[in-house]
Amino acid sequence: MKIALIGCGFFAMNQLHAWKDIDNVEVVALCDRDEGRLAVASALFDEVRCYTDAATLFAEGGFDVVDIATTVSSHRALVELAAEHRVHVICQKPFAETLEDARAMVAAVETTGKVLMVHENFRWQSAVRAVVDELRSGVIGTAFFGRVSFRSGYDVFSGQPYLAEGERFIIEDLGIHILDIARALFGDASRITATTRRINPAIKGEDVATMLLEHESGVTTVVDCSYATRRSPETFPESLLEIDGDKGTIRLDAGYRMSIQIGEQVTTRDVAPPVLEWAERPWHNIQESVRIIQQHFVDCLATGVAPETRGQDNLRTLALVEAAYLSAREGRTIPLTEL
Ligand code: NAD
Ligand code: 89V
């Protein structure tokens, strides 16, 4: 499988390392408007074609998959170019700036018969996956309550300065992952209520969000995110989970400790992710999930199965993001049918 990657920035380095780890995959081309970033990324490979313009990359072709790792404002144009040139697509989150764009992007790729996966990797973190698997095995019976929580004081702006500049911040950038984990655990939501706050005066958007979801399955979840929380030890970038079922409880606590309680019996397991050769703490959790989701994409292409976070599926996570902002703005509960 020959891959071209567009956007050789902060996060793409993880994607490139992960592609190098995966069998039967070759990164044949890189593209970035910034020649310096292109040079740093190309140093990872013995041989790779380099472009500063995506249209030229597509015109020259020679790849089966495009991996779009740019920030969101370029996603629609790049996905549409990919559809025009009939290649499979992986696109970073947030998939699109608006739901309207996202629907058009899904439709554009659908007409080509190619596969479109959104790089929504948090549900693929191995610790989160361990909880998903336990829940799906039925060990705690039928779930009725969940909490998906991400609270941190980590300076995320040093690696990603653009996050301080947008009108929207935590729901669009991080909450999107946490809402997606809630969907992976409990399925789609029918209603959402949200509040937002900005605590850090140096940024433009909200850095705290608290959301209440009612899922079609009958589960109620609290999904809460904060980058204004001082805690020791710092848990970035862990998502902490708590699920109550009619037969027991599953928790994923700080330090990647998963506990399952059935009656009075509690079993605890260390589900800490490995630190891959090219990874570093505390990012190793996310870095491992990048390799897992990219392997998932390769496996899906080989077997003809649709990726779990295919474009069509991601529309529902994006709808939750939009509904959360609408709820916070208007101070009311939003039925998802409204979007
Ligand atoms: P970045 O700004 O560091 O890198 C983006 C790169 O894309 C830049 O080098 C820029 O020059 C290039 N670029 C932008 N538009 C282009 C175009 N049209 N053609 C060619 N090059 C173009 O951003 P980043 O922090 O790496 O984030 C990239 C994306 O990854 C964002 O959507 C972000 O939300 C996402 N992200 C995801 C995770 C995750 O865990 N899934 C983590 C971090 C970032
Ligand atoms: O997903 C993201 O884009 C990142 C991070 C994981 C740090 O929130 O901003």
Side-chain angles (χ1 to χ4, degrees):
M1 185 185 297
K2 290 185 166 44
I3 299 200
L5 179 140
I6 308 178
C8 303
F10 171 75
F11 201 70
M13 299 309 279
N14 299 315
Q15 292 168 231
L16 291 172
H17 278 292
W19 285 130
K20 285 173 64 128
D21 278 358
I22 296 173
D23 289 340
N24 304 319
V25 163
E26 189 189 357
V27 175
V28 295
L30 298 173
C31 173
D32 199 297
R33 291 197 289 231
D34 181 323
E35 287 186 4
R37 289 190 143 184
L38 196 52
V40 171
S42 66
L44 291 178
F45 302 92
D46 293 334
E47 209 179 306
V48 71
R49 286 154 38 210
C50 289
Y51 299 85
T52 52
D53 169 49
T56 313
L57 164 81
F58 280 109
E60 294 193 6
F63 51 90
D64 317 293
V65 174
V66 66
D67 188 1
I68 300 170
T70 58
T71 41
V72 67
S73 60
S74 54
H75 287 179
R76 179 165 178 175
L78 292 173
V79 168
E80 287 178 345
L81 254 180
E84 214 177 283
H85 289 83
R86 297 184 171 270
V87 293
H88 301 294
V89 186
I90 305 175
C91 182
Q92 256 298 348
K93 51 59 66 178
F95 181 45
E97 290 183 296
T98 64
L99 257 179
E100 191 192 349
D101 281 353
R103 288 179 181 130
M105 291 150 75
V106 168
V109 181
E110 248 166 32
T111 58
T112 68
K114 298 291 176 182
V115 173
L116 166 62
M117 183 182 84
V118 177
H119 188 121
E120 178 43 79
N121 51 323
F122 269 42
R123 66 161 72 192
W124 289 104
Q125 290 171 9
S126 51
V128 171
R129 211 65 196 180
V131 175
V132 170
D133 291 345
E134 290 293 351
L135 178 66
R136 288 183 187 170
S137 79
V139 66
I140 61 160
T142 304
F144 59 87
F145 171 83
R147 180 171 179 206
V148 188
S149 179
F150 184 106
R151 312 192 76 78
S152 170
Y154 185 82
D155 176 18
V156 76
F157 310 106
S158 60
Q160 296 165 268
Y162 57 89
L163 294 177
E165 291 153 17
E167 293 294 332
R168 291 176 167 191
F169 168 40
I170 202 167
I171 300 178
E172 181 180 83
D173 180 68
L174 185 278
I176 197 168
H177 292 302
I178 310 308
L179 288 165
D180 193 67
I181 290 177
R183 288 190 57 239
L185 288 164
F186 307 114
D188 284 319
S190 49
R191 307 205 299 173
I192 183 168
T193 314
T195 63
T196 56
R197 293 282 307 274
R198 177 168 60 84
I199 303 300
N200 180 350
I203 67 169
K204 229 169 157 187
E206 83 291 351
D207 53 2
V208 176
T210 310
M211 298 169 267
L212 180 72
L213 277 66
E214 290 168 57
H215 292 258
E216 288 166 8
S217 57
V219 180
T220 301
T221 55
V222 175
V223 175
D224 58 292
C225 327
S226 164
Y227 271 122
T229 301
R230 285 164 196 85
R231 61 193 302 167
S232 195
E234 170 58 66
T235 51
F236 178 89
E238 293 178 51
S239 302
L240 307 184
L241 308 175
E242 194 173 342
I243 304 167
D244 290 347
D246 57 8
K247 294 200 175 80
T249 297
I250 309 175
R251 301 169 64 103
L252 178 61
D253 290 318
Y256 302 105
R257 291 175 66 77
M258 179 173 72
S259 305
I260 300 178
Q261 177 159 359
I262 310 290
E264 295 305 308
Q265 184 80 30
V266 182
T267 51
T268 300
R269 213 166 92 203
D270 177 6
V271 290
V275 185
L276 299 177
E277 215 173 273
W278 46 270
E280 57 180 351
R281 293 177 190 278
W283 286 84
H284 61 297
N285 169 27
I286 291 179
Q287 287 164 318
E288 188 209 15
S289 73
V290 168
R291 191 171 78 177
I292 296 172
I293 193 174
Q294 291 181 187
Q295 181 69 62
H296 173 65
F297 181 79
V298 170
D299 294 344
C300 285
L301 281 197
T303 56
V305 171
E308 201 172 296
T309 59
R310 58 194 169 275
Q312 189 74 45
D313 175 86
N314 195 258
L315 294 179
R316 294 166 188 261
T317 295
L318 271 183
L320 277 173
V321 168
E322 288 305 325
Y325 281 115
L326 184 60
S327 170
R329 198 165 60 240
E330 297 191 354
R332 65 184 175 95
T333 297
I334 307 295
L336 269 296
T337 47
E338 212 175 284
L339 290 140

